[in-house]
Amino acid sequence: MASLPIIYSPEVEAALAAGKAVVALESTIVTHGMPYPDNVETARAVEAEIRARGAVPATIAVLDGHIRVGLDEATLERLGTMTGVMKLSRADLAFALATKRPGSTTVAATMICARLAGIDVFATGGIGGVHQGAEESFDISADLEELGRTSVIVVAAGAKAILDLPKTLEVLETKGVPVIGFGTDEFPAFWSRSSGLKAPLRLDTAAEIAAFQKARDLIGIAGGMLIANPVPEADEIPAVRMKGFIEASLGAARDAGISAKAVTPFLLADMFDRTAGSSLKTNIALVMNNARVAADIAKALKA
Ligand code: PSU
Ligand code: MN
């Protein structure tokens, strides 16, 4: 059998061999989620936060026909400044490998790569979900399908609030994905702590999450789970303030005829302009917060 097309960084390879706690990180947030240089600076800061917490970060991307698990400084900088990087999901991850096109991994693709690499926990900003108007556009992120089938714990500040959050929760339930409010009864709304929606489940510690995962493993329930970790109070933009910005951005996307993979990157960039950069500041803060919780969960799974 051919070997897997994976190249590990020395740090990640050593950590996996030693059975240490490792946290996967995605790269679409770098290439399509934030402007340069914030994208690269954030990626570095998130990695540093995970190390400070006693785990090893593994940022994942596709370059030169290989899945790279763990990126060095120069490669991260290159990825953060490159143009024409494919935004990869389940449908086209292998396409980028076969054609040797550079690609960044979304939540769905990062979960697939993390599973292949033997990494159980993954931190991001917010998962993709059911877009508003999906009854017409059928735009439902492949992230939801992936959570239903691939066994990786995903720590996120809920789903991005540009989405239809009630429908997103419904689809997650249908696919058998546990959605756990971390220290909260409410499903968080990315930039805001509150969505007005109840989190289906609640746990307050990393140890409890590890115990839940072990129980799932024991009875043979595969698939991911979503740890919905609200942005810290000091960094949040209240939902009432975001509402107007979100509506304006959705209108701009409609007017510009944005569709498919371009929708989420368009909305994130447009919100950044509308909020004079404060949506980006909050986005960075929530990713850092998710990285800390993911590191704690990765460690608890090894305990
Ligand atoms: N979280 C962020 N910024 C992002 C994303 C997540 O803070 O840019 C990315 C993730 O890679 C996620 C993707 O998988 O947005 C969702 O894209 P879509 O809606 O096209 O499935
Ligand atoms: Mn989509």
Side-chain angles (χ1 to χ4, degrees):
M1 212 177 85
S3 62
L4 286 169
I6 300 183
I7 297 176
Y8 296 92
S9 70
E11 182 191 19
V12 172
E13 186 158 42
L16 288 170
K20 284 197 190 143
V22 177
V23 174
L25 297 165
E26 61 152 303
S27 46
T28 293
I29 195 166
V30 176
T31 57
H32 295 72
M34 292 181 189
Y36 182 82
D38 302 83
N39 58 351
V40 175
E41 283 164 14
T42 302
R44 284 205 192 101
V46 167
E47 291 193 344
E49 194 72 18
I50 289 170
R51 288 190 191 100
R53 209 79 176 188
V56 171
T59 304
I60 294 176
V62 172
L63 290 165
D64 308 316
H66 287 90
I67 298 170
R68 301 281 299 264
V69 180
L71 301 181
D72 57 59
E73 288 267 325
T75 308
L76 194 58
E77 179 76 22
R78 184 154 72 94
L79 190 72
T81 50
M82 244 190 241
T83 51
V85 182
M86 289 182 78
K87 174 185 163 190
L88 302 173
S89 192
R90 173 172 281 267
D92 43 16
L93 174 62
F95 177 93
L97 291 171
T99 60
K100 298 193 163 44
R101 300 244 330 243
S104 61
T105 51
T106 59
V107 168
T110 307
M111 288 180 76
I112 295 170
C113 297
R115 193 64 275 141
L116 286 173
I119 302 171
D120 300 321
V121 186
F122 160 30
T124 183
I127 62 161
V130 181
H131 281 266
Q132 302 204 29
E135 53 275 35
E136 281 288 319
S137 67
F138 275 58
D139 190 350
I140 302 176
S141 176
D143 292 354
L144 301 183
E145 187 71 40
E146 206 57 49
L147 278 158
R149 64 199 281 182
T150 300
S151 300
V152 173
I153 297 174
V154 179
V155 184
K160 285 180 277 281
I162 50 175
L163 300 164
D164 186 324
L165 296 182
K167 288 196 183 76
T168 299
L169 282 175
E170 288 296 341
V171 172
L172 286 166
E173 186 189 13
T174 302
K175 299 201 178 292
V177 180
V179 177
I180 299 141
F182 187 67
T184 177
D185 291 318
E186 210 175 338
F187 187 59
F190 199 65
W191 301 282
S192 317
R193 291 175 62 82
S194 120
S195 66
L197 300 166
K198 204 174 160 345
L201 301 167
R202 172 183 175 149
L203 291 172
D204 294 344
T205 66
E208 288 171 319
I209 292 166
F212 180 20
Q213 181 60 49
K214 283 177 183 163
R216 296 185 86 205
D217 292 342
L218 198 60
I219 61 171
I221 295 181
M225 61 163 105
L226 176 61
I227 308 303
N229 183 34
V231 63
E233 225 165 302
D235 301 301
E236 83 155 335
I237 310 176
V240 282
R241 269 199 59 214
M242 282 317 279
K243 195 169 179 286
F245 295 127
I246 292 170
E247 273 161 19
S249 276
L250 289 168
R254 253 192 318 273
D255 293 346
I258 307 294
S259 66
K261 279 178 186 266
V263 174
T264 297
F266 176 92
L267 291 171
L268 289 175
D270 187 76
M271 299 281 291
F272 169 72
D273 293 338
R274 276 175 213 280
T275 60
S278 63
S279 69
L280 176 61
K281 264 183 68 186
T282 299
N283 197 343
I284 293 169
L286 66 84
V287 176
M288 296 289 282
N289 190 44
N290 295 340
R292 284 188 282 273
V293 170
D296 290 351
I297 296 169
K299 284 186 293 174
L301 283 170
K302 302 287 181 192

